[in-house]
Amino acid sequence: MQALNSLATPEEKLAALCKKYADLLEESRCMQKRLKALQKKQSQIVKEKIHLQGEHSKAILARSKLESLCRELQRHNKTLKEENAQRSREYEEQRKEAMLHFQMTLSDIEVQMEQHSSHNTKLRQENMELAEKLKKLIEQYELREEHIDKVFKHKELQQQLMDAKLQRITEMMKEVEEKQQRERDFLLKDATESRRKCELMKEQETQLKQQLSLYMDKFEEFQSTLAKSNEVFTTFRQEMEKMTKKIKKLEKETTQWRTKWENNNQALLQMAEEKTLRDGHFKALQGKLELLERLCRALQKERNDLNNRLSLLQEQGDKGTALLRGQGPLSCWRSGVLVL
């Protein structure tokens, strides 16, 4: 309105309003284009988010499968170690039994050689055969131990390889999860920011439309009032003069009423103080009146007691006079003394 008031003619004002409306319309179109682009970008971001969530779920499934496979491999390695240990114990026991049997047989052979010299050659041959068998058994046992050691080493290498692969997969999973978390946070921030901007643009658009409708209404009112401005100005000047006179009169009346109000307030305050004093004096008088009433009651009670005593004494005196009249002078004197 200030910008319109700065212009001189209604045509210039109308041209300025039309220009402002065209600028606002162009700005609203640009805002709508930006809003559509942001909505499209948001839909793409949502699709990418869904795709990333699917990949994340697939990675989690693959990780769970690898973990289960590693657990199975560990169980298998454990069972193999236990079986190899059991077999080694069995081979050791068999070797000990063979050695014991060999020693026993050697002792028996020596006894038999001492007892039976004829069987020495035969026993020697048997001893040679047993020695060869024992040698073969020892070689087989050593080969078996080497094979078991090789199997253990191979399993340990496989275990280390699987542990390294599992560690690498877990690190990759952690990196993927961190990357997805960062992308998710960035997408959420971008989506909230775009939504907030969209809402702000919508609010600005509604406000601009309301302002434009207000400007149009005011311009129409301005055009209608321009036609009536001369007549209204003269009537307004007359009314202003009348109003100034009325305002001066009302100001005088308000000053008078203000003074009266202040005087009345002072009078009311004085009356309130007098009332408080009177209330205190009235309370004191009430206390005195209650004391006087108590004294009156006590005096009435004492008067009644004295009247009763006096009536009793009068009755006793009447009885004494009657007795004195019926007796002689001595008795009368005695009775008089008694009466006195």
Side-chain angles (χ1 to χ4, degrees), residues 164-190:
K165 286 182 179 179
L166 182 61
Q167 188 176 1
R168 186 178 177 186
I169 288 164
T170 52
E171 288 176 356
M172 288 173 69
M173 289 293 292
K174 285 180 182 177
E175 288 177 358
V176 169
E177 285 177 356
E178 289 175 357
K179 187 177 179 182
Q180 286 177 356
Q181 187 66 33
R182 288 196 297 270
E183 289 177 355
R184 194 182 296 113
D185 294 334
F186 178 73
L187 292 172
L188 286 171
K189 286 180 182 178
D190 196 2

Side-chain angles (χ1 to χ4, degrees), residues 163-330:
D163 291 332
K165 286 182 179 179
L166 182 61
Q167 188 176 1
R168 186 178 177 186
I169 288 164
T170 52
E171 288 176 356
M172 288 173 69
M173 289 293 292
K174 285 180 182 177
E175 288 177 358
V176 169
E177 285 177 356
E178 289 175 357
K179 187 177 179 182
Q180 286 177 356
Q181 187 66 33
R182 288 196 297 270
E183 289 177 355
R184 194 182 296 113
D185 294 334
F186 178 73
L187 292 172
L188 286 171
K189 286 180 182 178
D190 196 2
T192 52
E193 188 69 20
S194 63
R195 193 180 291 110
R196 188 175 63 80
K197 286 180 181 179
C198 180
E199 289 174 356
L200 286 170
M201 287 175 183
K202 286 181 180 177
E203 289 176 358
Q204 287 178 0
E205 186 179 359
T206 53
Q207 288 176 2
L208 290 170
K209 285 181 180 179
Q210 290 175 0
Q211 287 179 0
L212 183 61
S213 61
L214 270 170
Y215 289 153
M216 292 297 289
D217 294 332
K218 287 179 181 178
F219 184 71
E220 289 176 358
E221 288 176 0
F222 180 73
Q223 282 182 348
S224 61
T225 52
L226 278 174
K228 298 177 182 178
S229 62
N230 293 321
E231 295 176 357
V232 172
F233 184 74
T234 55
T235 54
F236 181 73
R237 185 180 289 171
Q238 292 174 1
E239 286 177 359
M240 282 293 290
E241 289 174 356
K242 290 179 182 179
M243 287 298 291
T244 51
K245 290 178 181 178
K246 286 181 181 180
I247 286 164
K248 287 178 182 178
K249 189 176 180 182
L250 287 169
E251 284 177 355
K252 289 178 182 179
E253 288 178 357
T254 50
T255 53
Q256 291 176 1
W257 283 109
R258 191 180 287 111
T259 53
K260 286 179 181 179
W261 180 71
E262 289 175 353
N263 293 324
N264 288 323
N265 280 330
Q266 290 177 359
L268 284 170
L269 291 170
Q270 290 176 0
M271 288 172 72
E273 290 176 355
E274 289 175 1
K275 185 176 181 298
T276 53
L277 292 170
R278 286 175 184 174
D279 290 333
H281 186 63
F282 182 71
K283 287 180 181 177
L285 289 172
Q286 280 183 349
K288 289 179 181 179
L289 182 62
E290 287 176 358
L291 289 170
L292 289 171
E293 284 178 355
R294 290 175 186 171
L295 289 169
C296 288
R297 291 192 194 98
L299 290 169
Q300 284 178 0
K301 189 176 181 181
E302 287 179 358
R303 189 183 68 180
N304 291 325
D305 294 331
L306 291 169
N307 286 326
N308 290 325
R309 288 178 184 176
L310 185 63
S311 61
L312 288 170
L313 289 170
Q314 284 178 358
E315 287 176 0
Q316 288 177 2
D318 291 333
K319 287 179 181 180
T321 53
L323 289 169
L324 287 171
R325 285 175 187 174
Q327 293 178 359
L330 180 62

